[in-house]
Amino acid sequence: MRVRVNRERCQGHARCFALAPELFELDDLGNARERGGGIVAAAFEDKARLAQANCPELAIDVIET
Ligand code: F3S
């Protein structure tokens, strides 16, 4: 699984970072980007889906690989 933040959509709500800091980080403007190239370890797959579901801008893609 991978996650990807759509930088065009992200408005900096930071829910992704609050729910899954292992997968997301915030830049200087508070917008998210994926950590580690967006690769999701098996242990964090539920967190990836939770973050996706909680982004009000629908800015997070979860890609099953
Ligand atoms: Fe951006 Fe959504 Fe996270 S708006 S900071 S990707 S919760």
Side-chain angles (χ1 to χ4, degrees):
M1 178 187 282
R2 300 178 62 131
V3 288
R4 193 175 65 86
V5 177
N6 184 327
R7 307 273 291 169
E8 306 278 311
R9 283 182 172 267
C10 176
Q11 297 294 321
H13 294 287
R15 292 189 193 173
C16 55
F17 179 66
L19 291 166
E22 302 88 351
L23 302 176
F24 301 96
E25 59 191 7
L26 302 179
D27 66 15
D28 292 343
L29 298 175
N31 293 326
R33 60 189 167 214
E34 54 283 343
R35 285 188 193 273
I39 296 168
V40 179
F44 296 124
E45 290 187 354
D46 287 350
K47 281 195 169 194
R49 293 191 184 94
L50 187 66
Q52 180 189 36
N54 279 273
C55 175
E57 306 296 337
L58 306 178
I60 298 172
D61 292 326
V62 173
I63 302 127
E64 305 279 349
T65 55

